[in-house]
């Protein structure tokens, strides 16, 4: 879905634990840079390439990947993307999530115990697929760390907003030219409504809700939620409601 010139929401179907849903990585580009924000689950490199091609951008032109956080549905296809790249692709993430992404610390959420428990509830054929997908930790090198308030000088300017709670190093992004907020999992959209983070997937809900106040500092025309997609119904007013609880 085109948001503005050089801003496209990719729609990818992922199947986790037998449940299909749509996720929404964001593609930003100009004449110098092609940036992918988040990379889906393992095995989605070709789906990402096809979605980028549909937007008129080759995956071979990719210059940077920005990770909003460490969760497997956001970093899953990164190793495949880097391995198949025809030129260096720089990976950016917050310092607090870097050791989890690089494998120096175990995933906060996809622990071996949790994976084992999930496998127990699945039939044998599904269990083998999930084991193949999640049995091996997904890791990749982070080339550069990004911090709160930093303005990345790409695609007209991208503001980094540190929004911890969902993970310790969760970040959201504000694309200045299009007034687009890329929330990662700091927010979700459902049934036309903009909502706070998913409590079941957010270890520090209190901090995650405090993080929402930072969004009120920006003039926002479009909100992109990784889970739920695009929200444009007076987002500034809705974000103020969420921030004030």
């Amino acid at each position: 879905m085109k948001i503005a010139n050089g801003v496209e929401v990719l729609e990818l179907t992922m199947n986790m634990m037998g449940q299909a849903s749509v996720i929404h990585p964001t593609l930003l580009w100009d004449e110098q840079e092609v940036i992918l924000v988040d990379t889906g689950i393992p095995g989605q490199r070709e789906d990402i390439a096809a979605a980028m091609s549909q937007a008129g951008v080759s995956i071979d032109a990719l210059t940077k990947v920005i990770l909003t956080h460490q969760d497997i549905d956001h970093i899953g296809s990164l190793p495949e993307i880097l391995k198949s790249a025809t030129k260096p692709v720089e990976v950016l993430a917050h310092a607090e999530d870097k050791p989890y992404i690089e494998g120096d610390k175990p995933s906060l959420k996809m622990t071996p115990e949790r994976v084992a428990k999930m496998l127990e509830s699945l039939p044998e054929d599904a269990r083998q697929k999930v084991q193949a997908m999640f049995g091996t930790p997904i890791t990749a090198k982070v080339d550069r760390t990004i911090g709160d308030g930093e303005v990345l000088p790409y695609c007209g300017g991208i503001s980094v907003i540190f929004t911890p709670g969902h993970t310790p190093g969760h970040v959201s992004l504000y694309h200045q030219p299009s007034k687009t907020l890329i929330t990662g999992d700091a927010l979700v959209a459902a049934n036309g409504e903009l909502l706070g983070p998913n409590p079941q997937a957010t270890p520090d809900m209190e901090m995650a809700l405090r993080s929402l106040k930072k969004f009120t500092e920006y003039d926002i025309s479009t909100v992109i939620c990784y889970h739920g997609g695009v929200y444009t119904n007076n987002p500034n007013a809705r974000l103020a409601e969420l921030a004030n609880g």
Side-chain angles (χ1 to χ4, degrees), residues 38 67-75 93-101 106-110 114 161-172 183-187 197-209 211 214 227:
D38 293 331
L67 300 171
T68 60
H69 61 292
Q70 63 179 278
D71 288 350
I72 194 169
D73 56 329
H74 293 254
I75 71 169
H94 193 276
E96 289 290 337
D97 269 18
K98 178 181 177 180
Y100 299 95
I101 296 165
S107 169
L108 283 177
K109 300 173 189 177
M110 296 301 289
R114 184 181 179 190
I161 310 169
F162 182 41
T163 47
H166 185 77
T167 67
H170 189 286
V171 295
S172 303
T183 72
D185 286 357
L187 296 168
N198 179 356
Q200 293 180 328
T202 304
D204 192 336
M205 194 65 177
E206 183 179 346
M207 180 178 288
L209 292 175
S211 293
K214 293 184 178 181
H227 299 282

Side-chain angles (χ1 to χ4, degrees), residues 39-69:
T39 66
I41 62 173
Q44 288 196 301
R45 189 266 179 196
E46 295 308 313
D47 294 337
I48 291 169
M52 288 180 61
S53 179
Q54 202 167 36
V57 182
S58 170
I59 196 170
D60 292 332
L62 193 65
T63 60
K64 291 177 172 60
V65 170
I66 302 177
L67 300 171
T68 60
H69 61 292

Side-chain angles (χ1 to χ4, degrees), residues 58 104 109 126 190 196 213 225:
S58 170
D104 294 330
K109 300 173 189 177
K213 295 183 183 298
C225 299

